[in-house]
Amino acid sequence: MQTQEQKDLIQNVIEQAKLRGIMKYLPNGELTHAPFSLSPYSMNQSVFEEMAELTIPFSELMIRVSRNTDFLAHHLEPIAAIDPFLKMLMECRSNEITQNCQLLVQRNDFFIANIKQNHDKNSYPSNEIQERTVLRQVELNTVSASFPFLITKLNQLHKQLFEQNELPRVIKNNPLDAVVDAFAYAIQNYGISDSVMLLIVQNDEKNIFDQLGLELHLWEKYKIATVRKTLTEIYTDGKLNQGHLVVNGKIVAVTYYRAGYTPYDFHAQEAFKGRKLVEASSTIQVPDLEMQLSGMKKIQQILTKKEVLSDFVSEDISVRLLKTFAKMHTLDEITNTSEFQISPAKWLSENADDYVLKPQREGGGNNFYGSEILKLIPSIKKEEQKAFIMMEKIKAETHSSLQLVNGQAETLNCVSEIGRFGVCFAEKGEVKTNLDAGYLVRTKAKNKNEGGVCAGFSCLNSIADFD
Ligand code: ADP
Ligand code: MG
């Protein structure tokens, strides 16, 4: 039970959050604060440092993968043959190369897990079980890596509450500046004065303040304007002029996708045409189509194979990346293999609770867990099995957290998912700048599978300082 004093304090903190623009829309159109936590996540310092140091090699890996169109086609075309959405995306490619530069704004998501390991057999006592804290990658988002604005604002609020003796000190976090600097760098590199950034949006965006905050910062820091359009509007309002994409009479230097990763964004045929128009221009796309495809779950799964990964990175980097990967298989690997020494059906029924089943989709709410997996599998045709990825469920460490969701406060047993933002600019595949850009923490009740902030499951959070 909260005392009246605690309740007043929480209401005041919620008003402070609103003042800073930490806002979102509810499905019914009401405006509320974005969910946030008042319990900064305490994590192991060396794991925190390991995670931050992995951003640069992961970005480099994604640039190399995205440049290898044969590799992408080899792994994705068989899935596109049975998945109309992927097929349509792949058909957006233009035959001509119109763009030399790539800007990657990515977010690499992890959980911290405590795993039990047998102690070295040669030492004494030989069968001692040790617990180790390890990083486990959930996924790397190459398209629409959201929350750089809201999480920066929340970090400022947490710092204020520390100074007012109401919270522990948190680790400084400012992805907003780094992401906006990267946009400005790319726009200046494009070399046309008075050019703009095109922000591709969904029709009914609930997380609009995260986007408007970026736009405002880009304007205030660099006087660069942003034009917001849906894919359909680009088709109706955009045109090509000497290779440049022109919208509202302005040349578009950078096109930043906060849409175009789900089938819903392509309901109208015009949206597909809009996507193709951008692709055919020389605008710097964040991300370009190949980079978006490189973030597919199938590509994540195939890169967990050492022999595949080593085609893209050095031996030393490969060892560091492999350590963070959970086990991943395609569903057909499981149903066709005798590796498990029992029938696939028995293996699945015994292991469903330890896996997450993922289709080739982004944006949350698409995955299947535990009994849902067993229910779904009989309806998946044999030729569709290769499009589904079975990923080992990561058992994240738990902690107590005070969660503020739509004006209500509740203390829950939670897990925290930590993302590292990365920005990387490359010209003809050669990396020019590559930076770690800060973190995102999303804290959610332990018993919730999916983690959407806008869906109301997860709360934005900061990491507690180590001292
Ligand atoms: P999406 O592209 O839809 O965001 P994700 O792979 O990020 O898909 O999964 C959505 C959410 O599901 C994650 O944010 C995480 O909370 C949970 N999740 C995904 N994979 C795992 C896993 N292997 N173990 C535990 N939770 C997971
Ligand atoms: Mg995700």
Side-chain angles (χ1 to χ4, degrees):
M1 272 294 281
Q2 284 151 3
T3 61
Q4 192 54 45
E5 197 184 341
Q6 285 165 332
K7 281 185 188 159
D8 292 346
L9 184 74
I10 286 167
Q11 285 318 312
N12 178 261
V13 170
I14 288 174
E15 299 305 328
Q16 299 286 339
K18 290 177 178 170
L19 173 66
R20 288 175 185 272
I22 306 171
M23 302 291 284
K24 71 159 198 181
Y25 280 107
L26 290 168
N28 65 6
E30 261 175 52
L31 195 55
T32 183
H33 65 92
F36 64 99
S37 168
L38 283 183
S39 311
Y41 178 45
S42 291
M43 65 177 287
N44 178 295
Q45 184 169 3
S46 69
V47 175
F48 174 84
E49 285 160 6
E50 180 191 352
M51 184 166 37
E53 283 163 11
L54 285 174
T55 308
I56 289 174
F58 263 113
S59 290
E60 244 168 51
L61 166 68
M62 298 321 286
I63 295 283
R64 291 202 187 122
V65 169
S66 73
R67 300 286 295 179
N68 193 333
T69 48
D70 289 344
F71 171 80
L72 291 173
H74 176 75
H75 290 290
L76 296 179
E77 268 166 13
I79 298 178
I82 47 129
D83 179 345
F85 175 60
L86 182 58
K87 182 163 182 278
M88 185 223 62
L89 270 187
M90 294 181 84
E91 281 169 2
C92 291
R93 283 178 297 185
S94 59
N95 297 327
E96 265 174 81
I97 295 177
T98 53
Q99 297 150 12
N100 289 326
C101 296
Q102 288 172 287
L103 175 60
L104 170 62
V105 174
Q106 58 109 331
R107 205 189 64 230
N108 199 5
D109 293 335
F110 298 91
F111 277 120
I112 316 294
N114 289 319
I115 58 162
K116 293 196 172 69
Q117 266 195 335
N118 264 334
H119 198 260
D120 179 3
K121 291 201 175 58
N122 298 322
S123 66
Y124 178 82
S126 63
N127 53 359
E128 187 186 325
I129 304 275
Q130 274 199 336
E131 214 173 67
R132 279 203 312 130
T133 306
V134 295
L135 260 187
R136 283 286 173 269
Q137 186 190 45
V138 177
E139 68 154 351
L140 192 151
N141 302 280
T142 59
V143 59
S144 195
S146 41
F147 301 117
F149 171 78
L150 293 186
I151 202 69
T152 302
K153 291 290 148 184
L154 179 66
N155 192 256
Q156 290 166 359
L157 175 61
H158 280 165
K159 178 170 176 283
Q160 174 202 336
L161 295 174
F162 160 74
E163 287 162 357
Q164 295 169 343
N165 296 318
E166 281 157 16
L167 266 200
R169 186 196 294 272
V170 295
I171 295 180
K172 192 168 184 313
N173 189 31
N174 192 341
L176 175 65
D177 248 330
V179 170
V180 161
D181 289 351
F183 285 140
Y185 177 85
I187 291 163
Q188 283 153 9
N189 189 285
Y190 194 77
I192 304 262
S193 64
D194 205 28
S195 55
V196 296
M197 178 162 91
L198 171 64
L199 181 50
I200 300 192
V201 297
Q202 292 181 324
N203 254 326
D204 189 22
E205 178 62 69
K206 301 288 177 276
N207 193 20
I208 188 171
F209 297 99
D210 189 51
Q211 302 172 357
L212 292 177
L214 273 178
E215 289 176 33
L216 178 62
H217 202 56
L218 186 62
W219 176 256
E220 292 203 319
K221 198 165 174 186
Y222 294 100
K223 293 287 171 279
I224 295 171
T226 302
V227 177
R228 298 172 64 85
K229 297 270 177 208
T230 62
L231 283 168
T232 302
E233 288 165 347
I234 291 164
Y235 176 66
T236 49
D237 304 350
K239 57 176 192 288
L240 289 185
N241 188 349
Q242 296 181 337
H244 298 296
L245 178 64
V246 179
V247 179
N248 291 6
K250 297 276 186 197
I251 290 183
V252 175
V254 160
T255 300
Y256 173 41
Y257 290 91
R258 294 289 293 256
Y261 53 84
T262 96
Y264 308 107
D265 299 336
F266 290 93
H267 262 157
Q269 260 295 313
E270 288 70 27
F272 170 68
K273 293 178 184 165
R275 181 70 180 79
K276 282 193 77 144
L277 184 69
V278 182
E279 197 62 36
S281 77
S282 54
T283 183
I284 301 170
Q285 297 188 87
V286 188
D288 61 19
L289 193 71
E290 283 74 20
M291 183 57 84
Q292 180 173 349
L293 295 174
S294 305
M296 305 288 302
K297 285 138 177 115
K298 172 64 204 177
I299 302 299
Q300 181 188 2
Q301 176 262 330
I302 202 75
L303 289 172
T304 62
K305 294 184 191 290
K306 191 169 180 243
E307 64 283 8
V308 178
L309 186 65
S310 61
D311 283 343
F312 294 99
V313 296
S314 68
E315 179 61 28
D316 165 51
I317 301 283
S318 161
V319 171
R320 288 166 58 200
L321 305 192
L322 282 167
K323 265 172 54 186
T324 70
F325 295 157
K327 275 189 258 167
M328 294 180 90
H329 309 276
T330 56
L331 186 56
D332 65 332
E333 265 172 8
I334 288 176
T335 54
N336 292 335
T337 186
S338 55
E339 184 191 321
F340 304 108
Q341 292 170 352
I342 51 174
S343 76
K346 188 154 193 295
W347 186 89
L348 282 166
S349 71
E350 285 175 8
N351 289 278
D353 282 340
D354 296 326
Y355 279 80
V356 181
L357 183 66
K358 301 189 177 188
Q360 306 300 314
R361 291 289 181 273
E362 300 294 323
N366 300 301
N367 300 337
F368 299 86
Y369 298 84
S371 59
E372 294 168 0
I373 301 180
L374 296 176
K375 236 187 264 165
L376 179 76
I377 283 180
S379 69
I380 301 175
K381 295 193 193 102
K382 201 149 183 56
E383 65 275 20
E384 292 169 349
Q385 289 180 350
K386 55 178 169 297
F388 286 85
I389 306 297
M390 285 283 274
M391 180 175 186
E392 182 189 7
K393 195 164 180 189
I394 306 162
K395 308 233 157 61
E397 59 181 15
T398 59
H399 60 100
S400 165
S401 175
L402 178 57
Q403 308 276 89
L404 306 189
V405 180
N406 196 17
Q408 301 297 314
E410 200 178 3
T411 300
L412 298 168
N413 189 23
C414 287
V415 295
S416 284
E417 186 170 350
I418 304 126
R420 291 297 317 188
F421 289 100
V423 292
C424 182
F425 186 79
E427 226 172 307
K428 293 190 178 151
E430 196 185 319
V431 171
K432 299 287 182 191
T433 58
N434 191 358
L435 298 171
D436 177 87
Y439 65 81
L440 171 74
V441 182
R442 287 171 297 170
T443 300
K444 64 172 179 178
K446 178 182 180 283
N447 57 3
K448 289 275 183 291
N449 286 322
E450 291 284 320
V453 170
C454 286
F457 297 129
S458 274
C459 287
L460 300 169
N461 204 353
S462 297
I463 297 175
D465 209 345
F466 301 113
D467 49 34

